[in-house]
Amino acid sequence: MEVWNHQFECMDRNGIKHVQSARLMETVERVYFNVPYYRNRMQEAGLGPESIRSIEDLSKLPFTTKQDLRENYPFGLFAVPMSEIVRVHASSGTTGKPTVVGYTRADIATWSEVMARTLTCAGADRNDFIQIAYGYGLFTGGLGLHYGGEKIGASVIPISGGNTTRQIQLMHDFGSTVLACTPSYALYLAEAITESGINRDELKLRIGVFGAEPWTENMRREIEDKLRIKAIDIYGLSEVIGPGVASECQEQEGLHVNEDHFYPEVIDPKTLEVLPPGSTGELVFTTLTKEGLPMIRYRTRDLTRLNFERCKCGRTMVRMDKCLGRSDDMLIIRGVNLFPSQVESVLLEMGGIKPHYLLIVDRVNNLDTLELKVEVDEVFFPDRISQLEELRQRLQVNLENSLGLGIKVTLVESKAIERSEGKAKRVIDNRKF
Ligand code: DLL
């Protein structure tokens, strides 16, 4: 089996610790002297750069959260002048404002490197045709895979998301061998291929690199059977770099974390204590080489477990289990991150609506659907149907603009949504992962 970067991906554990310690010290120095936010937090904790002498000292440092990024929106946590930033990406924040991330030229090189590892790990090489059906744009999926694909010398097809008929046509005509998209879209495509009447034998597809949302082993089996490919799980998040943080190898037994660049810890989300190796908890990352937006102990909210056993593939990089849950209420719908609080902030800006709502998520023909039921205030609309329809449409447009997602809006009368005595239930997720 090919390994992209033998030196790092197969380094012995002592060697890795050494690299991590040296890089952590550099990172801490970088943020201390360049990011007032980090300097203040460290000073409050009575720490200076000299307090961190090895990776073992990491747990002394405070955590960073999405809220911290939001409070420093848009560029407050960047550690270099804007003239050094060559790219920005963004993902959903908890209320309206996106989380903005920035890359220097060296960061883009790091990203390409870890994506080259990811694709090689999945079994791809320069002879492959990679059809990238992740969205291009502010989302990191499209461009992340793109740079990795070019780095390994494969032929990249930057088709981006959507337009299923065209996806199938190009997959057939160009002979795509690797498909990169969300697992739910892969299933949708599989069914569309069957319906299109194309014989699977006419396609050259052999590998799928799927991520950006949770998916189960059952879903993997279904995709592998329907598309007759090997389906590989890839994981990442914008705040850390995008895709390229961790990926499965062909053993499909956990995702190798690129821990020479991103140091993982698993904590108890309640007590915030670091858990012993092998325990399940919330994943936390510290970037070890990033320049533009270094992250110290970033709480991902993803729940998983680290596995330090040696993998049959020969890589020594620690593996994380498939992520199936989160410790917060973030939903991932068609690959787009959504917090119920984002919906709430749009509702609060509208007149005539009560803050009683329910989001209903489902999966129909392998595509996620999103519906909002919200109560109207009859005082404003004494049974004026046209006014109500106008309100419904305005709400739908505002939500779609703010969330970047299609949504069905249904207005219901006052008290139609069940009241809860404890924590309000805002979401019903009928998808079966
Ligand atoms: O989803 C980056 C990405 C793009 C990963 C393409 C893989 C492929 P964000 O939009 O910032 O970045 O969303 C990050 O998505 O915290 C997880 O909750 C979830 N996620 C990403 N990959 C997986 C996966 C991209 N393989 C958030 N399994 C993360 C489960 C995943 N959840």
Side-chain angles (χ1 to χ4, degrees):
M1 252 183 278
E2 288 298 316
V3 175
W4 177 258
N5 188 331
H6 209 275
Q7 184 197 351
F8 285 101
E9 292 180 82
C10 303
M11 193 176 260
D12 64 75
R13 299 295 319 164
N14 268 341
I16 290 179
K17 273 227 152 93
H18 191 75
V19 169
Q20 288 170 332
S21 294
R23 290 180 173 180
L24 176 66
M25 287 193 283
E26 276 172 33
T27 298
V28 168
E29 197 146 301
R30 188 175 307 135
V31 299
Y32 189 89
F33 290 111
N34 296 300
V35 187
Y37 164 82
Y38 281 118
R39 183 167 51 247
N40 294 340
R41 296 288 306 275
M42 282 178 65
Q43 283 172 346
E44 277 161 27
L47 299 167
E50 71 293 340
S51 319
I52 309 299
R53 308 261 36 118
S54 85
I55 201 77
E56 259 87 47
D57 294 325
L58 180 61
S59 59
K60 294 180 186 166
L61 294 169
F63 293 101
T64 310
T65 62
K66 226 181 191 15
Q67 179 68 19
D68 296 322
L69 278 160
R70 185 177 150 68
E71 282 167 10
N72 291 282
Y73 175 86
F75 309 135
L77 295 190
F78 287 13
V80 295
M82 287 310 284
S83 56
E84 300 284 312
I85 295 287
V86 299
R87 176 95 62 78
V88 289
H89 281 281
S91 72
S92 310
T94 45
T95 49
K97 280 187 188 158
T99 301
V100 184
V101 298
Y103 305 73
T104 64
R105 205 174 290 286
D107 292 334
I108 297 286
T110 304
W111 198 11
S112 310
E113 155 74 19
V114 290
M115 284 312 298
R117 291 183 191 178
T118 294
L119 288 167
T120 310
C121 223
D125 64 29
R126 57 183 310 160
N127 299 312
D128 279 296
F129 263 87
I130 307 186
Q131 180 160 342
I132 302 179
Y134 285 112
Y136 278 66
L138 287 176
F139 177 55
T140 52
L143 281 162
L145 268 293
H146 187 103
Y147 276 65
E150 287 190 350
K151 177 111 181 160
I152 65 167
S155 309
V156 169
I157 310 171
I159 184 165
S160 193
N163 204 339
T164 306
T165 313
R166 193 135 163 268
Q167 298 276 357
I168 299 172
Q169 187 200 346
L170 296 197
M171 186 180 286
H172 176 267
D173 297 354
F174 293 4
S176 308
T177 53
V178 178
L179 172 65
C181 61
T182 58
S184 52
Y185 190 60
L187 261 184
Y188 181 80
L189 257 179
E191 267 163 26
I193 289 169
T194 312
E195 280 163 21
S196 74
I198 286 182
N199 184 340
R200 171 62 184 87
D201 293 334
E202 293 170 42
L203 299 178
K204 299 223 172 77
L205 213 56
R206 60 186 198 93
I207 298 169
V209 275
F210 305 133
E213 64 184 12
W215 53 308
T216 56
E217 286 301 333
N218 281 341
M219 228 172 127
R220 185 197 321 257
R221 245 168 293 173
E222 209 177 324
I223 297 174
E224 291 194 328
D225 287 350
K226 287 199 165 128
L227 283 176
R228 279 193 261 144
I229 59 171
K230 191 151 196 152
I232 298 288
D233 191 7
I234 67 170
Y235 168 89
L237 60 162
S238 325
E239 294 86 336
V240 173
I241 200 151
V245 175
S247 64
E248 277 183 339
C249 61
Q250 288 158 73
E251 301 296 330
Q252 296 172 306
E253 284 177 354
L255 293 82
H256 290 280
V257 179
N258 283 307
E259 54 174 322
D260 52 330
H261 293 287
F262 319 113
Y263 185 82
E265 295 171 282
V266 169
I267 62 162
D268 178 326
K270 294 214 172 70
T271 65
L272 304 184
E273 288 299 316
V274 178
L275 295 173
S279 322
T280 299
E282 182 185 322
L283 188 60
V284 169
F285 277 109
T286 298
T287 63
L288 298 174
T289 49
K290 262 176 70 194
E291 296 179 345
L293 181 66
M295 276 286 147
I296 303 289
R297 305 192 85 199
Y298 183 73
R299 292 187 59 184
T300 65
R301 311 282 170 171
D302 292 316
L303 300 175
T304 189
R305 191 181 72 94
L306 294 176
N307 174 3
F308 287 89
E309 275 167 39
R310 191 73 182 259
C311 180
K312 292 189 220 76
C313 75
R315 288 177 183 81
T316 50
M317 305 255 114
V318 65
R319 282 173 288 168
M320 57 183 255
D321 282 1
K322 249 177 164 329
C323 281
L324 292 178
R326 289 184 56 89
S327 68
D328 65 3
D329 57 356
M330 186 179 93
L331 296 159
I332 304 182
I333 296 166
R334 274 174 260 141
V336 178
N337 303 346
L338 171 85
F339 292 93
S341 52
Q342 285 171 270
V343 172
E344 207 160 299
S345 63
V346 174
L347 294 182
L348 288 173
E349 284 163 13
M350 306 264 310
I353 296 273
K354 290 189 164 180
H356 294 295
Y357 68 93
L358 193 59
L359 283 168
I360 302 157
V361 191
D362 215 330
R363 192 162 275 174
V364 181
N365 293 333
N366 298 311
L367 268 196
D368 295 339
T369 59
L370 176 64
E371 181 184 1
L372 170 76
K373 287 193 171 153
V374 62
E375 291 183 8
V376 278
D377 203 334
E378 287 100 351
V379 181
F380 292 98
F381 306 99
D383 66 26
R384 296 278 298 277
I385 305 244
S386 62
Q387 257 183 344
L388 283 174
E389 177 53 21
E390 190 266 331
L391 174 70
R392 196 195 64 74
Q393 283 178 12
R394 200 152 45 88
L395 181 54
Q396 181 163 342
V397 169
N398 286 358
L399 283 166
E400 289 182 348
N401 285 342
S402 158
L403 309 177
L405 257 176
I407 186 168
K408 178 181 169 200
V409 174
T410 310
L411 301 181
V412 295
E413 60 192 27
S414 223
K415 306 266 165 33
I417 289 170
E418 206 184 320
R419 301 292 189 262
S420 137
E421 295 187 346
K423 223 166 131 63
K425 189 164 174 57
R426 301 293 195 199
V427 180
I428 296 179
D429 195 341
N430 293 321
R431 294 175 296 183
K432 287 184 189 58
F433 288 120

